[in-house]
Amino acid sequence: MSEAPVLSARALSLVYGDGARRTTAVEALDLDVARGEFVGLVGPSGSGKSSLLFLLAGLRRPTTGRVLLLGRPLDAAPDRNAALRRRHVGFVFQEPFLVPWLSLRENALVHATGPGAAARVEDLARRVGVAHLLDERPHRVSGGERQRAGLLRALANDPDLVLADEPTAFLDHPTGHAVMDVLRACVGRAALVVVTHDPEMLAGAHRVLHLRDGRLEATTAAGSPPATAAGA
Amino acid sequence: MSEAPSPASVPARAPATRGAAGRAPGPLAWLVRNPRRVMPAVVVQALVTALVLAVVTPLTGFEATVEANIAPLSHYTGVTPSERNDFDPALSALLDANPAMQRRVRAKALWMQTPMIVGESYAMLLALEGADQADFLARIGNRLVAGTLPAPGSDGAVVPADVARARGLALGSRFGRLVDPEDVTPGRFTVVGLVEGPARVGLVDLAYATVPDFVLARIESFQVVYARPGRKAQSDAYLHAATNAEGKKAFKVWDEAYWRARTKKMLENLPTLVNAVVGAVTAIVGLVVVLLHLIAFQARSDEFALLLALGRTRRSLAARLAAESGLAAAVALALGLALGYGFLAVWEAQVLRPRAILLRFFDPYALALSAALPLASAAAGALVLAARLRRMDPVTILQRRNA
Ligand SMILES: Nc1ncnc2c1ncn2[C@@H]1O[C@H](COP(=O)(O)OP(=O)(O)OP(=O)(O)O)[C@@H](O)[C@H]1O
Ligand SMILES: [Mg+2]
């Protein structure tokens, strides 16, 4: 298959602030994720996992390096990637960020681009057990249910790249697995990167990247302990 | 925005249409579903709109009273000699040479006051010979609704019914400076008839107003000129242009244009004052409304950060915000006008009409001024929010909450 990777990052780094308050969140990182690939991303708190996801989504301006999405370089200015992001990237945020005055369904479709989105959201909602809540407002459902609504929104446009930041953090184990099942299911036609503190959720991952202080420390197969040498 | 064509490797995808998202909630949904966020701005705008309408309409709408006084001048023109005291044969001949004139009659003008919101207004009492009175009423479209026309030589007066009501005069009542030293009408009159109609003008008898040794005798008489049908403009032009033996203007012409110019001068400073006051109120309340918009915006910053992160453009979000504040302003305007006109209707019926104060109810000037606040604050709100949106960094907001 000669297809370009859905996602590729080269020499990517992100530095917050300057002087004494300078923090290197991501440092000289190279990464390729192909269509159909499920990549896990683990690391201690503050190791730069969320920052990396924002860079990969074109939401933050990288300090150095660049990201290619579907073979196309992302613009350094996040605003210029809006259309690409809307159509090709699904982002599950660490917190779901639902619009409080919209129903879960309206939230899931808030950036919908195609006629298939509504049916897709219905179907996904059934699979993660929130179909009966689609017409409720966010404040009337539980935190876990909100998190799942955020997942529906991320997948509504059938994205090519799915980036999930601790999608199961607020969920009990069975629900967490249901959410991961849905995410894994979209790997068929997308590339998936999942940040998590729970190694159990990475069952089936093709690779697990270990991040420490913004550096890619190791790459392992799912479940296996981190190797000592830098991978990739 | 570089929207390069997808590489061949990317699977074909439906174009970005609203499609299923066509039912995405619009600005109206925001208004309806967030009453507590929207109400403060809407209520403030509606109340001020109503207030401006209720205050400015009576101020500028009182021109309606002036209109009623001027109305008869579209049917006749008053003429006095510009140099001499009275019409000598030469001037009379000059008048009669007017090819557009139908008839002229001798008259005197007196005034009777009626109270206004501020100050007083004056209705004309025209002194005519008995034979000319009924004809005059018919020409200006007024009709006698009670009593009779003044008998020749009597002190009888026919008074506009609303003026009589406002002054507390009924058939048989007496008025004039000889009855009440405060009265502007000289002499003494007895109300013998009431008229109603488009023109606020009453009638008294010319013979009585000409009795020697009586104060009324000193009032200058003038000529009422009736033009032939459809030739009023031509007749007035003749009167303006007519010159006497010395080659100077022969007549002073008291026509509609003259009175209009006079009242316009009288009211000249009113708009300046009203504009300044309403402008200041609009600016201050507009600031408050923009502040309320900003508070609502702040409360929704997560929402906007999210939408930007999901790929909405700032431009489309700004347009959305403009539509929302525009819609809120439209609701406020409708509410404010309903409120303002409701108040005016009650006020007019209960207070103004019994006092013979006429009101131009739908005054375009008052309407424009009262609409200024919602329109201005919608525009200012849209601009300020667009500026806010432009500076917003969505990821910082999302990350702060993510931390
Ligand atoms: N907006 C910001 N400004 C300055 N520093 C930041 C900002 N966001 C994150 N950082 C810093 O960058 C580093 C990486 O943060 P990041 O949120 O990416 O970590 P993380 O791996 O997602 O952590 P967690 O597991 O707690 O979510 C941290 O040291 C953090 O303090
Ligand atoms: Mg994080």
Side-chain angles (χ1 to χ4, degrees):
Chain A
M1 217 155 122
S2 63
E3 190 182 347
V6 170
L7 181 73
S8 62
R10 290 289 171 272
L12 202 57
S13 67
L14 177 64
V15 177
Y16 290 113
D18 46 23
R21 302 178 55 199
R22 192 179 149 98
T23 311
T24 305
V26 177
E27 202 172 350
L29 189 135
D30 294 327
L31 178 65
D32 285 302
V33 186
R35 192 176 296 282
E37 203 181 0
F38 170 14
V39 174
L41 189 57
V42 298
S45 183
S47 58
K49 306 181 296 294
S50 296
S51 301
L52 176 58
L53 286 197
F54 285 125
L55 283 177
L56 297 180
L59 274 167
R60 271 230 181 267
R61 181 190 289 270
T63 309
T64 66
R66 63 175 189 168
V67 176
L68 282 85
L69 180 63
L70 301 165
R72 275 176 275 178
L74 289 183
D75 201 298
D79 272 12
R80 295 182 175 253
N81 301 317
L84 268 182
R85 205 158 55 227
R86 182 169 180 179
R87 250 199 262 174
H88 301 295
V89 181
F91 205 122
V92 183
F93 298 97
Q94 207 164 341
E95 217 181 281
F97 288 109
L98 300 180
V99 178
W101 58 278
L102 298 180
S103 69
L104 297 194
R105 183 197 312 279
E106 288 163 343
N107 265 289
L109 294 170
V110 79
H111 68 320
T113 57
R120 201 173 301 122
V121 164
E122 286 276 356
D123 176 51
L124 289 168
R126 255 190 308 279
R127 284 159 60 188
V128 295
V130 292
H132 61 295
L133 298 173
L134 279 179
D135 293 314
E136 292 288 351
R137 302 272 186 86
H139 64 91
R140 310 227 349 198
V141 306
S142 74
E145 286 158 348
R146 281 199 286 274
Q147 185 68 19
R148 280 175 273 170
L151 174 75
L152 302 187
R153 183 182 61 208
L155 301 182
N157 286 337
D158 199 9
D160 294 291
L161 173 64
V162 179
L163 303 171
D165 199 349
E166 304 198 29
T168 61
F170 298 120
L171 305 179
D172 59 26
H173 253 75
T175 319
H177 281 294
V179 164
M180 286 310 299
D181 285 344
V182 168
L183 281 174
R184 268 189 294 269
C186 63
V187 168
R189 46 161 287 98
L192 173 65
V193 179
V194 176
V195 168
T196 182
H197 285 293
D198 183 355
E200 225 182 281
M201 295 300 161
L202 294 180
H206 299 103
R207 276 187 286 161
V208 178
L209 310 179
H210 297 256
L211 213 59
R212 179 176 292 275
D213 295 334
R215 286 181 167 279
L216 213 47
E217 195 185 44
T219 304
T220 59
S224 51
T228 36
Chain B
M1 208 134 321
S2 59
E3 180 62 287
S6 298
S9 59
V10 178
R13 195 175 284 268
T17 60
R18 297 301 286 156
R23 64 182 139 167
L28 185 61
W30 156 252
L31 251 65
V32 171
R33 293 188 195 178
N34 297 277
R36 269 185 297 168
R37 284 271 162 73
V38 178
M39 281 300 259
V42 168
V43 167
V44 167
Q45 292 179 77
L47 286 180
V48 175
T49 298
L51 184 77
V52 170
L53 192 70
V55 170
V56 176
T57 301
L59 276 180
T60 57
F62 96 96
E63 281 176 42
T65 308
V66 175
E67 285 299 320
N69 289 338
I70 293 177
L73 288 168
S74 57
H75 302 282
Y76 77 90
T77 304
V79 189
T80 51
S82 54
E83 306 241 298
R84 269 166 280 266
N85 261 343
D86 210 350
F87 288 90
D88 58 18
L91 280 182
S92 297
L94 196 56
L95 276 182
D96 291 331
N98 176 0
M101 186 180 78
Q102 186 184 56
R103 215 158 87 72
R104 63 183 172 89
V105 300
R106 226 155 59 80
K108 284 189 175 188
L110 288 75
W111 302 89
M112 69 187 294
Q113 80 255 51
T114 58
M116 289 290 288
I117 298 168
V118 179
E120 295 176 326
S121 147
Y122 300 92
M124 190 188 251
L125 282 177
L126 198 61
L128 290 174
E129 281 165 24
D132 299 326
Q133 291 169 359
D135 176 49
F136 177 79
L137 282 186
R139 282 174 187 267
I140 63 174
N142 278 4
R143 51 181 217 292
L144 198 64
V145 292
T148 59
L149 293 174
S154 79
D155 71 347
V158 167
V159 176
D162 57 350
V163 172
R165 206 176 321 121
R167 292 272 306 259
L169 301 172
L171 291 183
S173 301
R174 303 188 130 198
F175 66 98
R177 204 170 301 143
L178 295 181
V179 179
D180 171 7
E182 299 282 291
D183 204 331
V184 297
T185 315
R188 179 189 61 235
F189 290 94
T190 305
V191 179
V192 296
L194 299 173
V195 281
E196 275 179 6
R200 190 176 266 188
V201 55
L203 288 174
V204 295
D205 183 59
L206 184 62
Y208 173 71
T210 319
V211 173
D213 301 333
F214 191 42
V215 60
L216 295 175
R218 290 202 291 276
I219 293 175
E220 202 182 329
S221 78
F222 69 99
Q223 297 277 324
V224 165
V225 173
Y226 298 127
R228 292 178 195 276
R231 298 178 67 179
K232 176 120 190 343
Q234 193 190 346
S235 168
D236 286 353
Y238 172 90
L239 295 172
H240 278 291
T243 50
N244 57 23
E246 294 97 65
K248 298 194 180 142
K249 276 175 74 64
F251 306 116
K252 183 154 177 44
V253 183
W254 308 78
D255 61 356
E256 204 177 331
Y258 169 82
W259 281 109
R260 256 183 221 296
R262 229 179 107 131
T263 48
K264 205 168 154 194
K265 203 161 175 182
M266 197 171 87
L267 301 176
E268 220 163 41
N269 294 324
L270 186 62
T272 319
L273 187 73
V274 172
N275 286 350
V277 172
V278 173
V281 169
T282 299
I284 292 165
V285 180
L287 268 176
V288 171
V289 171
V290 169
L291 220 72
L292 290 172
H293 279 322
L294 273 175
I295 290 170
F297 179 89
Q298 211 58 43
R300 292 170 81 191
S301 59
D302 278 6
E303 175 182 342
F304 301 132
L306 174 83
L307 292 174
L308 287 175
L310 291 179
R312 280 282 285 271
T313 60
R314 285 172 206 266
R315 184 186 293 252
S316 85
L317 270 186
R320 168 65 186 259
L321 280 173
E324 282 173 6
S325 61
L327 195 62
V331 170
L333 181 59
L335 215 68
L337 292 185
L339 217 63
Y341 280 124
F343 171 79
L344 278 178
V346 172
W347 199 47
E348 195 199 18
Q350 300 297 319
V351 179
L352 298 184
R353 209 172 304 149
R355 297 186 189 170
I357 298 170
L358 299 179
L359 192 67
R360 184 164 54 218
F361 201 77
F362 292 105
D363 184 52
Y365 177 72
L367 195 59
L369 281 191
S370 59
L373 172 69
L375 297 182
S377 60
L383 286 178
V384 169
L385 296 192
R388 268 300 177 94
L389 206 53
R390 182 187 285 272
R391 288 201 308 270
M392 175 180 255
D393 177 18
V395 184
T396 301
I397 291 172
L398 297 181
Q399 244 181 335
R400 190 172 56 227
R401 293 273 306 270
N402 260 349

